[in-house]
Amino acid sequence: MEKVNYFEEVEKTLNISFNDKELIDTALTHSSYANGKKGVKFNERMEFLGDSVLQLCISEYLFLIYKSKSEGELTKKRSLIVCENSLYEVAKKWNIGKYIKMSKGEEITGGRERTSILANCVEAIIAAIYIDSGYKKTKQFIIDSFKDIIEKAIKNQIVLDYKTNLQEIVQQDGDIHIEYMLIKYEGPPHRRKFYTKVCVANNVMGSGVGYTKKESEQNAAQDALKKLKSEDKWNKEGIDTNEK
């Protein structure tokens, strides 16, 4: 992709223009790409700044909008909005993974889909906008970008621990057995990918993939929750416990 078209496409995706194109270029450069290249800047320092700006903008927004909520309630809501999963959701909405500059090795091992890389990139983009355009414009960008997530947080529709949530749902009418089983793993020792399935009362209810066992189990639980809801099994009668 030509550099001019690259910047134009990124700006169109984000619906924002940069005065200093180098800022967004740095925000989209992973450390693996800069390794061994003299003078190439990468986004780790910008992640640090972007995290702080995001925290402040969301804190201010919640403080001003929800005047009756306590400090504890506001903190809980903010933690749901400003977390890796939420940042990842925003990154996927932008399809930002396709624009990140990274090494071939990082790309081959799934870097363009990796939760941490995408989440960190969102923070770096926020920092780039803050440096380039100031606080007011950055705050509006954040509120617009995180609008759906903010609404879900306020309505208590964001779940961080899918395993616990699944357990609460399926065991509401009794001690129904839940088991997470590692199906396989692949890849080099430093970048293993794990595949897990979750069984509820001996029925396979979901599957998940992750770069740690914990992540794959959480994704399997999330998959199971989606299926339970779509199959209309999420009701007062509980889950069919007949073995298949």
Side-chain angles (χ1 to χ4, degrees), residues 16 69 74 78 84 109 136 144 171 186 204:
I16 197 165
K69 291 190 179 296
L74 293 175
R78 184 184 63 190
E84 189 174 73
T109 57
K136 185 176 180 180
D144 290 342
Q171 294 186 347
E186 61 185 18
V204 177

Side-chain angles (χ1 to χ4, degrees), residues 10 17 27 48 62 64 69 72 74 77 84 89 102-103 126 129 137 158 201 205 210 214 229 236 239 242:
V10 170
S17 297
F48 166 78
L62 293 174
L64 294 175
K69 291 190 179 296
L74 293 175
K77 298 299 182 187
E84 189 174 73
E89 187 176 324
M102 61 180 64
S103 69
I126 289 171
I129 297 170
K137 190 170 183 178
I158 294 179
M205 295 303 300
K214 182 179 179 181
K229 190 172 183 179
K236 292 181 180 179
I239 297 170
N242 293 321

